[in-house]
Amino acid sequence: MNTNAGDGHKVGSWATYRRLLGYTRRHWPIAVLAVIGMIVDASALTGFTSLIKPMLDNLFTARDPHTIFWMPFWIVGIFSLRGLGAFMENYGTSLIGLNVVQQMRMDIFDAYLRMPSSFFNRESSGHQIARVTYTCEQVSNASTQAVKVAITDGLTVIGMVGLMLWTSAFLTLALLIMVPVVTIVVTYISRRYRRIGKKVQNVMGRVTGSVDEVVNGQREVKIYGAQRNERDRFEDVTQTARRLNMKVAITSSLSSATVQTVAAGSLALIIFMATRKPIIDTLTPGSFTTMLIAMGAILPSLKRLTGVQAGIQRGVAAAEELFEIMDMPPEADTGSQNISRCQGEIRYTDVHMRYPGAHVPALRGIDLHCKPGTVTALVGRSGSGKSTLVSMLPRFYEPSAGHIELDGRPLDDFTLAALRRQIAWVGQRVVLFNDTVANNIAYGELAGASEQETIAAAEAANAMEFIRELPNGLHTVIGQGGNQLSGGQRQRIAIARAVLKNAPILILDEATSALDTESERLIQQALNRLMRDRTTLVIAHRLSTIEHAHQIAVLDQGRVIEQGTHEQLLARGGTYAALHRMQFHDHDSALTGTD
Ligand SMILES: Nc1ncnc2c1ncn2[C@@H]1O[C@H](COP(=O)(O)OP(=O)(O)O)[C@@H](O)[C@H]1O
Ligand SMILES: [Mg+2]
């Protein structure tokens, strides 16, 4: 099933190489330095090997005093030069490699920042994290380590072959029969590496994902005693990772074993050929030893050169995945209208919406009109489409049919930034960032707010009372996700954020549903303050909190089935009235209690 993809790959991989090179282009002076280092490194080795012949023939056979005097200096000189070359090459490749990793990480991070919401439903967050941590490293290995081996060892092989040709062309040419064998091995191995490389990346994403889930869901794991299942699942994934990496290791050692065998065969061949009658007369002990040593020096280089395929293939597979993400279309932001503060008139006209990949639409023909400064409550069973409806206002999702207007203009007339500046949002799940309380309230574009403004917002959100009791007050760092705070406290910080934003439109998606009565009272009070003079869309579980809304829309299976004020809907005796009766009854029995 992958045969077609194989052909496409070759074209794709050239483009990938070129684009990868683009990442190093900025560092070309360092690259030049590194390449010079590689050339020096390789030629020093060839230079040393070329000293073998004079050493043997002149030092011992001819006892030439000039050679005897200079030989130690040549050797020290050559190896110092080689040391310098090796330093330049390692320094250069590390510098470029680390820069490429950082640049790639930034590019992927930037891509994540401009992706539409639907992108984040597509795959687990583990994959998204692994791309930044693991996959980027793979790319850097390809663009530096592999290149280093390719150039240094490539040049060593060329130099050595040149030296051999110069020493004895006949013997060297006789060794050419080994070329096709090496080519076959290398081709086979590179294909295999590419195949495994993709799989390794994928499985690394699953490893991160598994950890991510257990760390975030540690409570659920404990309460439901899922340690065993999670452990098994993790073992499964890591086992797959180990198995795949083992395949890489086996492929790599098989390839070097093959190369060694081929090389040993060649050595044997040299000895055999060299000892034949016409040849043996033309060879000095020096040239014969040079042939053997050059052949021996080619060996480790050839071994590394076949291994280099592993690095490059893995890196290219990694880069392909990263580039694919970078090339994904960002959120559509074609509007040009820039408003500082809208009136807040919202109109949904026959809005349909189906999530990508979903079989049934989440919304099927929503008509809703919210006058500026009024409160609209959305009620309905879970899954009826309430959250979907409100998430289309900041354009997290686009309608598949119908349209939404703000102040009489289609939403996509506005720039995304201008549109979202009009909206404050308090959701059920409050996300706090790993920063101080003050910076969590004055978040993003609100960062310029003064301390007084931040405090005023916290006061209005009934949050200041608990913030004062924190070890460093407003400047207490709350951990990632804000785990030290209770649900109600987190909610109040989110409300303070919304107060500070002071946007004309307010969206409350079950902002109070997870709270106890006391915090609910405090929060409801804060919310009532917040809703004043704003166009508010409120989704509430408890109907008691929305009785005073200007209008109530009852949703069912993506449609508005009833609409009106609390009194109108009660009088109508439909779904809302039934819901209300049920909650009232529940409330009643909760008060009386069960014996
Ligand atoms: N990100 C999503 N991807 C696919 N389907 C979704 C997504 N979010 C919600 N849905 C589906 O859309 C429907 C409406 O969901 P939602 O708007 O969250 O309902 P509510 O907020 O009223 O509980 C449900 O059937 C739900 O399964
Ligand atoms: Mg919801």
Side-chain angles (χ1 to χ4, degrees):
M1 96 192 190
N2 249 339
T3 43
N4 280 342
D7 290 335
H9 254 142
K10 288 207 183 94
V11 184
S13 81
W14 241 124
T16 310
Y17 280 117
R18 294 247 316 270
R19 195 156 163 193
L20 252 177
L21 268 181
Y23 273 85
T24 53
R25 193 166 298 142
R26 203 153 56 84
H27 307 289
W28 70 266
I30 300 287
V32 168
L33 196 78
V35 170
I36 292 176
M38 294 172 199
I39 295 172
V40 169
D41 185 356
S43 21
L45 197 62
T46 316
F48 173 72
T49 315
S50 69
L51 285 184
I52 303 281
K53 186 174 149 64
M55 206 156 34
L56 286 173
D57 293 347
N58 297 353
L59 284 186
F60 297 104
T61 318
R63 312 221 168 154
D64 168 30
H66 182 259
T67 315
I68 289 176
F69 179 80
W70 284 109
M71 187 58 77
F73 294 101
W74 290 341
I75 292 178
V76 172
I78 284 179
F79 277 93
S80 309
L81 203 61
R82 190 175 178 209
L84 181 69
F87 175 78
M88 277 158 60
E89 117 186 34
N90 287 325
Y91 173 83
T93 47
S94 305
L95 187 137
I96 295 174
L98 293 173
N99 271 294
V100 170
V101 174
Q102 195 204 353
Q103 192 56 51
M104 287 239 148
R105 286 195 170 137
M106 293 297 301
D107 285 353
I108 288 290
F109 197 82
D110 284 344
Y112 285 172
L113 288 178
R114 49 165 206 265
M115 283 298 175
S117 296
S118 53
F119 169 78
F120 297 94
N121 300 334
R122 230 181 51 146
E123 52 184 4
S124 76
S125 60
H127 273 103
Q128 283 154 354
I129 295 165
R131 224 171 259 136
V132 178
T133 53
Y134 173 80
T135 314
C136 287
E137 295 269 355
Q138 294 296 307
V139 173
S140 136
N141 286 346
S143 57
T144 57
Q145 293 310 111
V147 169
K148 181 166 103 182
V149 172
I151 296 185
T152 311
D153 290 309
L155 283 178
T156 304
V157 170
I158 293 173
M160 292 298 172
V161 170
L163 186 63
M164 287 165 76
L165 277 173
W166 184 63
T167 311
S168 171
F170 174 77
L171 281 184
T172 312
L173 292 175
L175 288 174
L176 279 182
I177 47 164
M178 151 192 156
V179 169
V181 183
V182 171
T183 314
I184 291 169
V185 173
V186 169
T187 318
Y188 168 75
I189 286 164
S190 81
R191 275 210 201 115
R192 195 172 154 83
Y193 273 128
R194 180 184 212 107
R195 226 176 322 125
I196 305 174
K198 280 254 181 211
K199 285 192 196 155
V200 170
Q201 249 156 265
N202 196 16
V203 88
M204 285 315 288
R206 281 171 55 206
V207 169
T208 327
S210 256
V211 178
D212 188 47
E213 271 175 35
V214 167
V215 169
N216 283 322
Q218 51 102 6
R219 281 165 181 248
E220 281 74 8
V221 170
K222 291 191 173 103
I223 291 289
Y224 290 99
Q227 287 93 339
R228 219 202 147 76
N229 312 40
E230 290 298 342
R231 207 184 161 279
D232 287 350
R233 225 154 56 118
F234 192 65
E235 190 173 8
D236 210 47
V237 180
T238 47
Q239 215 152 41
T240 315
R242 177 177 53 84
R243 224 174 278 139
L244 285 173
N245 280 312
M246 198 59 214
K247 275 192 188 168
V248 174
I250 290 174
T251 310
S252 143
S253 51
L254 268 184
S255 84
S256 48
T258 318
V259 169
Q260 292 214 23
T261 315
V262 171
S266 334
L267 281 178
L269 191 70
I270 291 187
I271 296 176
F272 175 81
M273 300 287 286
T275 46
R276 293 312 93 190
K277 192 63 189 133
I279 311 280
I280 199 163
D281 295 334
T282 67
L283 282 179
T284 66
S287 11
F288 180 69
T289 317
T290 303
M291 288 301 282
L292 283 190
I293 290 188
M295 198 53 230
I298 288 179
L299 215 148
S301 284
L302 268 189
K303 208 171 84 179
R304 273 196 297 269
L305 278 174
T306 57
V308 93
Q309 283 289 340
I312 291 186
Q313 294 301 335
R314 227 177 312 159
V316 167
E320 264 167 16
E321 183 188 330
L322 296 181
F323 291 148
E324 196 183 305
I325 298 292
M326 290 177 203
D327 293 343
M328 281 187 171
E331 284 186 291
D333 189 8
T334 51
S336 55
Q337 194 69 24
N338 209 337
I339 29 163
S340 49
R341 197 174 177 87
C342 68
Q343 296 296 310
E345 182 180 29
I346 301 165
R347 190 186 291 276
Y348 283 69
T349 314
D350 196 26
V351 170
H352 292 253
M353 140 83 186
R354 183 202 293 268
Y355 283 101
H359 294 295
V360 287
L363 299 180
R364 16 183 145 203
I366 296 285
D367 289 298
L368 190 67
H369 178 214
C370 312
K371 295 201 190 82
T374 63
V375 175
T376 301
L378 302 174
V379 296
R381 286 186 303 196
S382 75
S384 56
K386 307 180 295 290
S387 297
T388 307
L389 191 152
V390 292
S391 66
M392 302 183 81
L393 209 50
R395 290 182 62 201
F396 292 151
Y397 297 98
E398 306 285 339
S400 25
H403 55 271
I404 308 172
E405 284 165 7
L406 174 63
D407 290 2
R409 276 176 166 282
L411 286 188
D412 46 16
D413 270 14
F414 301 99
T415 64
L416 275 181
L419 173 68
R420 288 172 182 172
R421 224 169 269 139
Q422 312 304 314
I423 301 170
W425 183 297
V426 183
Q428 187 172 17
R429 205 175 61 91
V430 175
V431 176
L432 297 178
F433 299 86
N434 193 14
D435 205 339
T436 61
V437 173
N439 289 342
N440 261 290
I441 295 175
Y443 181 68
E445 292 189 329
L446 306 172
S450 70
E451 179 141 341
Q452 281 91 329
E453 290 172 307
T454 309
I455 292 175
E459 293 279 11
N462 280 337
M464 216 43 221
E465 45 183 307
F466 82 82
I467 293 175
R468 273 197 198 94
E469 281 166 18
L470 293 174
N472 288 319
L474 263 183
H475 303 290
T476 311
V477 173
I478 41 182
Q480 210 155 16
N483 280 333
Q484 300 107 306
L485 301 180
S486 77
Q489 291 169 333
R490 296 157 59 97
Q491 210 87 43
R492 278 179 273 170
I493 290 187
I495 294 171
R497 218 184 253 164
V499 172
L500 190 60
K501 184 161 185 180
N502 189 23
I505 297 173
L506 175 64
I507 294 173
L508 304 171
D509 187 354
E510 312 213 10
T512 59
S513 54
L515 305 176
D516 54 277
T517 331
E518 171 59 11
S519 3
E520 191 181 349
R521 196 184 55 76
L522 283 173
I523 287 171
Q524 201 55 54
Q525 197 183 30
L527 286 178
N528 288 342
R529 237 177 257 150
L530 182 58
M531 289 193 284
R532 211 168 291 149
D533 302 323
R534 293 175 214 276
T535 312
T536 305
L537 280 162
V538 52
I539 300 172
H541 206 62
R542 260 163 256 178
L543 301 185
S544 56
T545 59
I546 53 153
E547 280 175 11
H548 303 294
H550 297 93
Q551 63 172 342
I552 298 170
V554 183
L555 265 74
D556 189 50
Q557 299 191 2
R559 282 196 192 88
V560 177
I561 53 168
E562 282 176 21
Q563 198 171 351
T565 63
H566 175 69
E567 286 75 22
Q568 287 167 346
L569 291 179
L570 276 190
R572 212 185 123 152
T575 310
Y576 180 81
L579 273 175
H580 189 263
R581 216 165 30 243
M582 213 157 62
Q583 284 202 0
F584 197 67
H585 178 77
D586 278 354
H587 191 61
D588 246 12
S589 54
L591 282 183
T592 21
T594 44
D595 31 20

